[in-house]
Amino acid sequence: NGVPNGSEGNLNFLWSVVSGPDVPGVTITDPAKLTTTVTVLTPGTYVFKLIVDYKNGGCGEEQTFTLTFESAPIVSTTNAN
């Protein structure tokens, strides 16, 4: 599922948008939460990246997700699980 083993309280999360037709028009409501809401102004296919890191400095992982929005504005709840 792209998330390192460990309780959510021991992990840092960071969502970002990698590419899409209107990257500046993307809003990630809470990029530091595992589950967040994404809003796009322009429909199309977007690539998002989730970085998960251990708070105590252990190695982390990253995963990319491709989402296609057929109309805008779109609000989507994103969860890596």
Side-chain angles (χ1 to χ4, degrees), residues 6-40:
S7 71
E8 205 171 306
N10 292 328
L11 301 172
N12 290 317
F13 303 99
L14 181 60
W15 285 97
S16 61
V17 60
V18 176
S19 64
D22 182 18
V23 171
V26 174
T27 302
I28 302 173
T29 302
D30 196 344
K33 297 281 187 183
L34 178 59
T35 301
T36 190
T37 300
V38 174
T39 304
V40 300

Side-chain angles (χ1 to χ4, degrees), residues 12-79:
N12 290 317
F13 303 99
L14 181 60
W15 285 97
S16 61
V17 60
V18 176
S19 64
D22 182 18
V23 171
V26 174
T27 302
I28 302 173
T29 302
D30 196 344
K33 297 281 187 183
L34 178 59
T35 301
T36 190
T37 300
V38 174
T39 304
V40 300
L41 297 178
T42 303
T45 299
Y46 292 81
V47 177
F48 295 88
K49 179 168 59 174
L50 172 63
I51 299 173
V52 182
D53 217 2
Y54 290 101
K55 287 184 180 175
N56 63 4
C59 63
E61 298 180 26
E62 66 180 58
Q63 181 76 36
T64 58
F65 299 86
T66 301
L67 300 173
T68 300
F69 300 89
E70 295 182 2
S71 61
I74 297 288
V75 177
S76 174
T77 299
T78 304
N79 187 337

